[in-house]
């Protein structure tokens, strides 16, 4: 985190990913709680734009005078504002869909005899279904599940503010174990919430994710 003190309190940085010149009214630093508003006036025709704050999609306003208007409240940490542009008129006669990991929950215990633990992975699997896999002791069990599991996990991620853990101070776990949850962001990047960087009740928050996943590890969903 990079911030500095001055009149009116500490300020934090907005990283424009090297494209600050694309945005108007853009400043480098804002105070926590301050409204940030920038806009993109020069917009290519037949192009779809998406805007992201720390990997999560924003919903911009639009006006004929300013173009896309991107606004958010500055949090008490540095942020990254990025965008993507895609030509909406390019026809792809054979679009290729690649499956990806939506979420990965991992629990590891480190001992003198070796490491042990398990990993639960939730991935896309075709158009409308998802694959849930638990790997433990060199054995993997798979379940075919619905989008409901994604909704359940996303609600917990939002309520427990798991994506904000990345801004906490890192420390070493003293009990020789670590639990983590890797979450896919809207822009395709990933954020990790871990017991190495968590609030005081963090272990409980992570256990909610595992409990949500385990509800779908049933015989009727076995693949």
């Amino acid at each position: 985190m990079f911030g500095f003190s001055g009149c009116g309190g500490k300020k934090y940085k907005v990283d424009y990913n090297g494209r600050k010149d694309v945005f108007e009214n853009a400043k480098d630093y804002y105070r926590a709680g301050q409204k940030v508003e920038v806009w993109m006036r020069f917009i290519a025709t037949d192009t779809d734009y998406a805007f992201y704050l720390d990997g999560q999609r924003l919903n911009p306003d639009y006006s004929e005078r300013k173009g896309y208007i991107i606004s958010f409240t500055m949090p008490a940490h540095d942020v990254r504002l990025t965008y993507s542009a895609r030509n909406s008129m390019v026809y792809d006669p054979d679009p290729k869909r690649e499956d990806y990991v939506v979420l990965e929950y991992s629990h590891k215990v480190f001992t003198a005899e070796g490491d042990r633990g398990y990993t639960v992975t939730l991935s896309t699997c075709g158009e409308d279904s998802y694959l849930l896999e638990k790997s433990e002791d060199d054995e993997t069990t798979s379940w075919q599940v619905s989008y409901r599991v994604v909704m359940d996990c996303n609600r917990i991620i939002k309520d427990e503010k798991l994506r904000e853990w990345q801004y906490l101070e890192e420390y070493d776990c003293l009990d020789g174990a670590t639990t983590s949850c890797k979450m896919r962001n809207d822009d395709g990047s990933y954020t990790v919430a871990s017991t190495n960087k968590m609030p005081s009740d963090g272990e409980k928050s992570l256990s909610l994710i595992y409990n949500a996943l385990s509800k779908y590890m049933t015989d009727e969903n076995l693949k």
Side-chain angles (χ1 to χ4, degrees):
M1 180 187 297
F2 182 91
F4 61 87
S5 299
C7 294
K10 193 172 184 178
K11 291 185 176 183
Y12 298 90
K13 185 175 182 178
V14 177
D15 177 4
Y16 298 93
N17 198 35
R19 301 304 307 274
K20 182 184 176 184
D21 59 313
V22 172
F23 299 100
E24 297 190 34
N25 197 45
K27 301 176 183 178
D28 289 324
Y29 299 96
Y30 297 84
R31 295 183 182 88
Q34 185 176 356
K35 182 179 180 180
V36 180
E37 183 175 291
V38 300
W39 50 86
M40 179 187 285
R41 190 191 307 272
F42 300 104
I43 302 169
T45 58
D46 302 328
T47 301
D48 293 330
Y49 291 87
F51 300 90
Y52 305 92
L53 186 68
D54 286 344
Q56 292 303 100
R57 188 161 185 166
L58 296 171
N59 295 315
D61 293 323
Y62 183 85
S63 76
E64 292 295 333
R65 185 171 64 88
K66 292 183 176 181
Y68 284 112
I69 303 171
I70 302 97
S71 62
F72 59 91
T73 300
M74 190 69 184
H77 55 73
D78 297 348
V79 296
R80 189 180 189 191
L81 179 62
T82 59
Y83 76 94
S84 63
R86 182 179 66 86
N87 190 325
S88 57
M89 297 302 291
V90 174
Y91 173 66
D92 186 354
D94 185 26
K96 293 181 174 59
R97 173 189 170 89
E98 293 186 3
D99 291 320
Y100 56 83
V101 173
V102 177
L103 182 146
E104 182 180 274
Y105 180 96
S106 177
H107 178 72
K108 302 295 182 184
V109 179
F110 310 103
T111 67
E113 291 75 25
D115 303 341
R116 56 185 177 85
Y118 59 86
T119 299
V120 180
T121 304
L122 176 64
S123 308
T124 59
C125 183
E127 289 292 333
D128 300 311
S129 62
Y130 292 80
L131 183 65
L132 188 60
E133 297 178 293
K134 183 174 183 179
S135 299
E136 184 175 13
D137 298 330
D138 297 325
E139 182 177 340
T140 299
T141 307
S142 302
W143 300 267
Q144 198 87 34
V145 296
S146 69
Y147 183 68
R148 185 173 295 276
V149 64
V150 180
M151 296 175 60
D152 291 348
C153 290
N154 283 342
R155 184 178 63 253
I156 295 170
I157 290 169
K158 181 179 180 180
D159 291 346
E160 301 298 318
K161 298 180 172 60
L162 294 187
R163 284 192 169 88
E164 297 184 15
W165 291 16
Q166 62 183 305
Y167 306 110
L168 300 176
E169 184 177 352
E170 187 168 0
Y171 56 87
D172 294 328
C173 287
L174 300 179
D175 59 0
T178 182
T179 303
S180 64
C181 177
K182 184 173 76 171
M183 305 154 281
R184 191 176 194 268
N185 300 320
D186 293 337
D187 66 352
S189 63
Y190 288 89
T191 297
V192 177
S194 167
T195 50
N196 289 333
K197 295 173 67 173
M198 66 176 182
S200 57
D201 57 348
E203 290 182 334
K204 178 182 177 181
S205 298
L206 288 174
S207 69
L208 294 175
I209 291 289
Y210 181 77
N211 292 340
L213 295 171
S214 63
K215 287 194 307 181
Y216 296 86
M217 301 176 192
T218 62
D219 290 342
E220 61 179 338
N221 289 331
L222 279 171
K223 185 177 179 182

